[in-house]
Amino acid sequence: MVNQGGGGSVAVAQIPTSFGHELRACLRCRLVKTYDQFRESGCENCPFFQMEDDHERVVDCTTPNFTGLISVMDPTRSWAARWLRIGKFAPGCYTLAVSEALNPDLQNICEEEHVPYVPPKRV
Amino acid sequence: MVKCAIGREREVAVCLMQKCIDRGPELQIRSAIALDHLKNFIYIEADKEAHVKEAIKGMRNIFTGKIMLVPIKEMTDVLSVESKAIDISRDTWVRLKIGTYKGDLAKVVDVDNVRQRATVKVIPRIDLQALSNKLEGREVPKKKAFTPPARFMNIDEARELHIRVERRRDPATGDYFEKIEGMMFKDGFLYKNVSLKSLSTQNVQPTFDELEKFRQPGETGDGDMSSLSTLFANRKKGHFMKGDRVIVVKGDLRNLKGWVEKVEEDTVHIKPNEKGLPKTLAISDKDLCKYFEPGNHVKVVSGATEGATGMVVSVEGHVVNLVSDTTKELIRVFADNVVESSEVTSGVTKIGDYELHDLVVLDDNSFGVIIRVESEAFQVLKGVPERPDVALARLREIKYKVDKKIFAKDRYKNTLSVKDVVKILDGPCRGKQGPVEHIYKGVLFIYDRHHLEHAGFICVKSESCMMVGGSRANGERNGNSFTSKFSHLRTPPRVPTSSMRPPRGGYGGHNNFGGRGGGRGHDALIGATVKIRLGHYKGCKGRVKDVKGSTVRIELESQMKVVAVDRSHISDNVNVTPSRETSRYGMGSETPMHPSRTPLHPYMTPMRDSGVTPYHDGMRTPMRDRAWNPYTPMSPPRDNWEDGNPGSWGTSPQYQPGSPPSRAYEAPTPGSGWTNTPSNNYNEAGTPRDSGSAYANAPSPYLPSTPGGQPPMTPSSAYLPGTPGGQPMTPGSGGLDMMSPVVGADSEGPWFLPDILVNVRRPGDDTTPGVIREVLPDGSSKIALGSSGNGDVVTALPNEIEVVPPRKLDKIKIMGGAHRGATGKLIGIDGTDGIVKVDDTLDVKILDMVSLAKLVQA
């Protein structure tokens, strides 16, 4: 029971430590953390971006422009998480929508890694 | 959905996350959602409400009181609401939402999405005075409420006031700016760095003036086009109609013209003009623009110049130039605001008491002629002869209208009056000529059709003119000069009559008659023979000498008098339809409606038309039959009718069944709306008809409608003023029934039953008690005399029989009501009621004593 407290078999993503302008959302998985958190540990769902190594990457792969916040405790069993297509990701705080799409280069990386990427819906 | 502290929605969501991490599977909620735009609430997803309660226990910012279940169907909408943001790009038109520039139009120069800021260009509103005061350390009175007007920044002016102006180079764009107090100026514009949140991008509809202002410093027409096209890209355009001519302005098919076939949500299907293309093309409405050919007659339907009609002269992209019908000026409007129409409007020509071309005196005692009527103000050409001076005057700035007949002298000492044709000898308009419209204080206002400015009006001193047509000195008395001088007037018919008049002599009216020619617009009346119908001079005939507003001066035939009579008091034998007036003052498309205004004449006395009266009389009679409260039914149609609302005719058709003569009467009125509507309006009239309540409390507009479906006789009854009681005679009698008392014993009276004790009263005899043995069909009964019914049997009529009222504890028989025929015991008496214990049912009932009779056992 206690070891499950760590999130069980899945590692829980870090949750944001503050709420100011530093909050950023990963453009692919929409995970929300602060800029510093991304710089230190990268994005748990998208390790291939390697944000820990390359600080520029953080700016490219994340954006401060996002709407809405959803904290997902158990993505596999949450209807909302599945609706938002984050059912396969780690538990943590995500955003409902990001403002812009990934760079073409980064999109290519996603394809190489066979990682699904859905650009945000434009009205 | 759970209520939480305002502003802390995100915090709460994250705290829940943290709690979940700490507590593990104990916490059984699945997710927590905080929406940006939903304040005070968050959504928590869980299997049971108990789980939610458990999870939020102990948390500071959540209120456990308000937990609401939201069905999943609604959650899909909640989660999908985000994608509304339009990315602000360069050169878009926006409006600032906050600050001194709130509501001002601005153009985006640079966007910084990272920092969520943008640089916009806006027309400065700087109060230089206050600024310099501040810099010099002087006390600046806090003028918060005062927004400086938008004006381009003049650097030199700023320098003069010793404000420090620096020339800086902006590192980002490389341009030179003038920096004053931290604000950056270029080309007179202020470049402001604002957050994206403070800009509104939706529904920014720049007016033409604003765009013009932006265009001013140095930009050419090209800038206009590009800026306009971005403008239109974001605009909500919903007004393409089938049949509109359009042109494609963006994309590969640019400059393709076509007709609109079908309009859908965002796409418009057009039929292109070119061959070789498919029959219909679907194009996004953002790429289309309405197109007009030069020569089209159009009408402006929105914007500042709404209501104007005119002819298209040229088309420049989105802007259409048209020449107005009324003012003959060039108007520039957006193509979106224009529709093709053959309607020719004269526009608004009258506000309050003042009309177009009136001579008025303004507040500052200057005078002038109204040359244009706009939506709220007038353009007045002032009476300054040296140079044309046009002022914009509001209604309240006008003191009064001048209508006096004043004379002036021209250069050669000829007397000039209104309507004389003069030629201008001096000044900038030299050589022009035209009739004099107004004279005031030695200044003439001449109307020259060919003069393009100021609606053709020229203001000139009377001495600078020469009368065309010779001198007038004494010729008027002879009537000879009339023909020569006033040939341009419409007075020829009057000339012979006036020549007949001289025998009368002594009348200054004659000269004035020819000389005055009447006020403008009333010429048709002047000189007409009329009969005075009301007033002191009723019955007299006379000729109209002059018209002034609503009074008419008439020269009586019978007496040597010229009297002033109200216009409504006269009727002329000539049925003059003042159609000329209506084309000027009426609303263009409604000219045919003008004669139809006549029915309202009795209710709106000062009407311009003199042709009214034949209708006037003829109309009164049917009116009287129909409605004794003539004003009530008429007022709704009158009001509605001003709007031209076809629905308003609903009140009229109902007169049809009731009074055939009225139908004929209504016929002259424009049947346009009328013929279509009867069916509709019968429905409308039908509804109040059907509801019974319409009878009892018919609001007056419906009063006429109710008889619409009734048999013809009812209108008369229905119209009796204030007789709602009369109405129940019509099938709405249900109401009455309710009012009448319960059908019961009272109305019919108790009937006799056998075995009851009665007193028989024979004429001549005393009353003898008896017991009814039998009740006959005709109402009489066989009574056995004697209190126990042992005596003789006699037959008595009901009016000879009197029921004996029972006493307490008597056995009684119930004669009336629901329990008629039942027996019982009277256990008490309460006033006029008796308390009865019914034998069969053992109920205790309270019945009127009248319906109880003493029972006598046989």
Side-chain angles (χ1 to χ4, degrees):
Chain A
M1 291 264 269
V2 175
N3 50 355
Q4 275 192 7
S9 45
V10 184
V12 179
Q14 284 181 319
I15 51 181
T17 47
S18 72
F19 302 100
H21 287 280
E22 314 94 66
L23 277 189
R24 299 182 77 92
C26 172
L27 288 174
R28 181 189 91 94
C29 61
R30 308 208 289 272
L31 180 70
V32 170
K33 295 203 296 191
T34 61
Y35 177 78
D36 298 324
Q37 284 177 312
F38 273 118
R39 219 162 43 137
E40 284 185 25
S41 28
C43 177
E44 287 88 348
N45 296 312
C46 327
F48 43 86
F49 282 150
Q50 284 152 355
M51 292 188 227
E52 315 81 78
D53 305 328
D54 191 357
H55 294 329
E56 302 292 319
R57 269 286 168 79
V58 181
V59 181
D60 292 331
C61 300
T62 64
T63 173
N65 251 344
F66 56 85
T67 24
L69 188 79
I70 170 171
S71 324
V72 184
M73 291 83 181
D74 196 345
T76 46
R77 292 164 75 185
S78 160
W79 171 86
R82 276 180 288 134
W83 174 271
L84 291 167
R85 302 190 200 287
I86 52 182
K88 306 277 178 71
F89 295 148
C93 295
Y94 292 85
T95 179
L96 297 178
V98 285
S99 58
E100 48 196 53
L102 260 186
N103 267 345
D105 314 322
L106 297 170
Q107 287 199 29
N108 286 337
I109 299 186
C110 288
E111 281 180 35
E112 286 168 24
E113 304 283 334
H114 303 294
V115 162
Y117 169 63
V118 179
K121 200 157 79 140
R122 291 266 100 187
V123 155
Chain B
M1 195 155 87
V2 182
K3 192 158 188 179
C4 64
I6 197 162
R8 303 240 192 251
E9 300 83 18
R10 278 196 179 176
E11 196 182 312
V12 165
V14 177
C15 284
L16 277 172
M17 187 74 223
Q18 182 68 54
K19 198 162 165 182
C20 213
I21 296 181
D22 299 337
R23 298 285 185 84
E26 267 179 38
L27 226 56
Q28 311 212 36
I29 57 178
R30 309 255 178 260
S31 64
I33 307 173
L35 290 181
D36 289 345
H37 56 86
L38 180 65
K39 302 287 177 203
N40 251 338
F41 288 96
I42 62 164
Y43 292 90
I44 299 185
E45 181 189 352
D47 281 337
K48 296 198 181 151
E49 187 179 331
H51 298 168
V52 176
K53 275 204 159 47
E54 177 71 37
I56 62 183
K57 202 159 61 155
M59 285 203 64
R60 195 162 353 145
N61 288 320
I62 305 190
F63 310 129
T64 52
K66 285 252 186 110
I67 299 183
M68 295 169 266
L69 177 65
V70 181
I72 282 199
K73 275 203 169 59
E74 289 177 26
M75 285 310 293
T76 55
D77 289 327
V78 170
L79 293 179
S80 344
V81 86
E82 352 75 8
S83 43
K84 246 192 332 167
I86 298 186
D87 257 337
I88 303 187
S89 51
R90 279 211 189 147
D91 283 350
T92 24
W93 293 102
V94 294
R95 278 198 199 271
L96 287 130
K97 287 201 266 193
I98 46 176
T100 18
Y101 297 92
K102 175 172 174 175
D104 278 357
L105 189 70
K107 196 175 198 196
V108 175
V109 170
D110 188 30
V111 182
D112 186 355
N113 260 317
V114 175
R115 277 184 221 104
Q116 294 285 293
R117 292 190 80 79
T119 319
V120 296
K121 188 163 102 163
V122 69
I123 301 182
R125 286 182 190 265
I126 307 290
D127 188 359
L128 287 169
Q129 197 60 40
L131 206 54
S132 76
N133 287 348
K134 200 157 60 143
L135 285 175
E136 291 176 28
R138 264 186 264 156
E139 268 292 313
V140 178
K142 264 288 184 202
K143 285 198 279 185
K144 267 293 173 161
F146 164 63
T147 40
R151 248 181 351 121
F152 286 110
M153 186 57 163
N154 196 334
I155 310 297
D156 303 317
E157 218 177 288
R159 287 218 175 91
E160 271 172 41
L161 290 169
H162 306 295
I163 300 176
R164 181 194 285 265
V165 178
E166 294 175 0
R167 235 183 136 73
R168 278 293 166 87
R169 193 173 162 279
D170 182 26
T173 56
D175 285 330
Y176 279 96
F177 286 92
E178 276 87 34
K179 267 193 97 160
I180 300 177
E181 274 292 294
M183 298 185 284
M184 298 204 298
F185 296 91
K186 182 165 112 108
D187 291 336
F189 285 104
L190 167 64
Y191 285 70
K192 221 168 140 57
N193 195 356
V194 291
S195 86
L196 286 180
K197 286 223 178 81
S198 70
L199 299 172
S200 75
T201 43
Q202 303 274 53
N203 268 336
V204 174
Q205 303 242 15
T207 63
F208 217 64
D209 305 322
E210 285 173 323
L211 283 178
E212 292 265 339
K213 278 202 188 159
F214 260 84
R215 256 201 302 153
Q216 247 167 13
E219 272 183 56
T220 55
D222 293 338
D224 179 25
M225 283 309 109
S226 60
S227 59
L228 279 182
S229 50
T230 53
L231 154 71
F232 281 98
N234 284 342
R235 253 166 64 140
K236 240 172 88 111
K237 289 197 293 185
H239 37 245
F240 283 114
M241 302 233 304
K242 190 165 157 167
D244 272 351
R245 296 201 60 203
V246 290
I247 184 171
V248 183
V249 293
K250 274 210 298 205
D252 296 332
L253 293 169
R254 195 189 308 200
N255 282 338
L256 177 69
K257 302 192 192 122
W259 271 279
V260 177
E261 287 269 325
K262 186 160 86 146
V263 177
E264 275 167 12
E265 183 60 40
D266 275 332
T267 41
V268 180
H269 295 259
I270 65 166
K271 193 163 74 139
N273 281 353
E274 308 290 322
K275 300 192 188 45
L277 284 172
K279 273 276 165 51
T280 49
L281 293 170
I283 305 184
S284 152
D285 72 353
K286 291 204 210 324
D287 298 333
L288 283 176
C289 178
K290 282 206 264 200
Y291 178 72
F292 297 94
E293 293 268 337
N296 281 0
H297 197 269
V298 295
K299 179 173 163 145
V300 182
V301 294
S302 59
T305 38
E306 178 178 349
T309 58
M311 189 169 293
V312 175
V313 183
S314 62
V315 178
E316 293 163 21
H318 287 266
V319 178
V320 171
N321 296 329
L322 58 109
V323 170
S324 160
D325 285 332
T326 44
T327 59
K328 304 277 175 284
E329 283 174 3
L330 204 65
I331 312 181
R332 284 167 69 82
V333 283
F334 288 130
D336 274 355
N337 298 347
V338 173
V339 293
E340 187 159 344
S341 139
S342 53
E343 189 182 319
V344 174
T345 180
S346 50
V348 176
T349 50
K350 190 174 153 104
I351 305 183
D353 286 329
Y354 308 110
E355 278 179 39
L356 198 55
H357 305 313
D358 270 351
L359 182 67
V360 293
V361 172
L362 303 172
D363 266 350
D364 54 355
N365 281 330
S366 64
F367 58 94
V369 174
I370 297 177
I371 53 173
R372 182 145 81 146
V373 173
E374 282 161 15
S375 50
E376 290 167 4
F378 304 95
Q379 263 197 5
V380 175
L381 174 65
K382 292 265 190 75
V384 179
E386 290 85 47
R387 49 177 178 83
D389 182 18
V390 177
L392 207 63
R394 302 243 134 63
L395 182 60
R396 54 185 156 76
E397 288 169 20
I398 298 184
K399 254 203 204 160
Y400 50 84
K401 186 162 102 160
V402 176
D403 229 355
K404 283 199 299 195
K405 302 289 174 209
I406 307 180
F407 294 113
K409 290 223 186 293
D410 76 349
R411 182 166 284 193
Y412 303 111
K413 301 280 178 262
N414 290 327
T415 314
L416 294 174
S417 120
V418 178
K419 293 271 166 268
D420 289 347
V421 176
V422 297
K423 190 165 168 166
I424 303 177
L425 302 171
D426 260 346
C429 302
R430 170 204 198 130
K432 297 208 189 238
Q433 77 176 43
V436 175
E437 290 292 325
H438 292 291
I439 306 178
Y440 197 69
K441 294 199 179 155
V443 173
L444 308 178
F445 291 92
I446 301 166
Y447 176 66
D448 183 2
R449 255 194 352 267
H450 306 294
H451 186 68
L452 297 168
E453 284 188 339
H454 313 310
F457 273 90
I458 311 175
C459 167
V460 72
K461 268 217 183 63
S462 62
E463 290 85 38
S464 327
C465 305
M466 177 180 83
M467 191 163 77
V468 168
S471 108
R472 258 183 55 165
N474 291 324
E476 4 179 2
R477 298 211 181 245
N478 304 336
N480 303 338
S481 48
F482 281 21
T483 34
S484 57
K485 240 185 281 288
F486 303 106
S487 52
H488 62 275
L489 296 175
R490 311 159 207 81
T491 52
R494 296 185 221 146
V495 175
T497 49
S498 71
S499 53
M500 281 200 294
R501 291 288 170 185
R504 284 235 179 171
Y507 268 121
H510 289 248
N511 314 322
N512 300 342
F513 173 50
R516 291 194 182 182
R520 176 180 24 98
H522 305 303
D523 289 342
L525 199 54
I526 293 187
T529 315
V530 300
K531 245 198 182 115
I532 301 180
R533 290 227 168 263
L534 295 175
H536 186 68
Y537 298 103
K538 171 174 174 173
C540 297
K541 261 214 275 193
R543 232 169 6 101
V544 177
K545 307 242 44 125
D546 189 19
V547 177
K548 203 191 252 192
S550 65
T551 46
V552 174
R553 288 179 63 76
I554 299 180
E555 175 192 271
L556 295 177
E557 234 173 70
S558 45
Q559 303 173 29
M560 310 264 273
K561 267 213 293 193
V562 179
V563 298
V565 188
D566 200 66
R567 186 197 267 285
S568 57
H569 294 329
I570 59 173
S571 95
D572 53 3
N573 302 332
V574 181
N575 196 353
V576 178
T577 36
S579 48
R580 192 168 48 82
E581 270 72 4
T582 53
S583 64
R584 262 223 278 179
Y585 300 111
M587 295 150 274
S589 58
E590 286 190 20
T591 2
M593 283 189 80
H594 191 89
S596 65
R597 285 201 182 182
T598 51
L600 306 181
H601 184 85
Y603 314 112
M604 305 197 306
T605 22
M607 285 283 284
R608 282 195 153 244
D609 30 285
S610 44
V612 160
T613 23
Y615 288 106
H616 183 104
D617 284 356
M619 197 202 59
R620 277 245 161 124
T621 22
M623 285 304 293
R624 244 182 256 121
D625 293 345
R626 246 185 279 135
W628 288 29
N629 40 352
Y631 294 91
T632 346
M634 282 315 260
S635 40
R638 173 160 64 95
D639 297 336
N640 299 342
W641 189 47
E642 300 283 329
D643 311 336
N645 183 3
S648 67
W649 292 110
T651 42
S652 40
Q654 70 229 298
Y655 291 129
Q656 273 178 353
S659 27
S662 64
R663 187 193 301 175
Y665 155 69
E666 299 277 317
T669 61
S672 54
W674 198 61
T675 44
N676 310 340
T677 49
S679 50
N680 310 344
N681 292 319
Y682 260 100
N683 297 339
E684 286 172 20
T687 33
R689 228 193 304 146
D690 295 337
S691 61
S693 62
Y695 293 108
N697 53 339
S700 42
Y702 284 120
L703 192 52
S705 76
T706 43
Q710 301 296 326
M713 55 169 183
T714 42
S716 44
S717 61
Y719 281 112
L720 289 175
T723 48
Q727 286 177 347
M729 289 190 281
T730 68
S733 59
L736 238 199
D737 285 344
M738 290 187 283
M739 296 189 284
S740 64
V742 171
V743 176
D746 291 338
S747 50
E748 303 172 77
W751 283 12
F752 298 118
L753 290 167
D755 294 332
I756 58 174
L757 189 68
V758 294
N759 279 334
V760 183
R761 231 181 326 111
R762 288 299 186 85
D765 282 343
D766 310 305
T767 54
T768 20
V771 178
I772 295 185
R773 286 290 164 222
E774 209 182 305
V775 178
L776 297 168
D778 65 351
S780 53
S781 24
K782 280 204 162 62
I783 302 181
L785 299 171
S787 36
S788 39
N790 296 331
D792 301 326
V793 175
V794 298
T795 316
L797 297 166
N799 55 352
E800 294 166 345
I801 307 172
E802 207 179 64
V803 176
V804 172
R807 284 186 300 269
K808 202 166 161 185
L809 297 178
D810 277 349
K811 270 207 156 28
I812 54 115
K813 198 158 193 179
I814 301 171
M815 296 196 302
H819 304 277
R820 181 177 144 74
T823 54
K825 195 161 173 191
L826 185 66
I827 52 180
I829 298 179
D830 182 17
T832 53
D833 296 329
I835 305 169
V836 174
K837 190 166 172 182
V838 182
D839 281 340
D840 299 319
T841 57
L842 294 178
D843 278 341
V844 177
K845 294 263 178 253
I846 299 180
L847 299 165
D848 209 309
M849 289 296 291
V850 180
S851 50
L852 302 175
K854 192 167 153 105
L855 180 68
V856 175
Q857 300 294 49

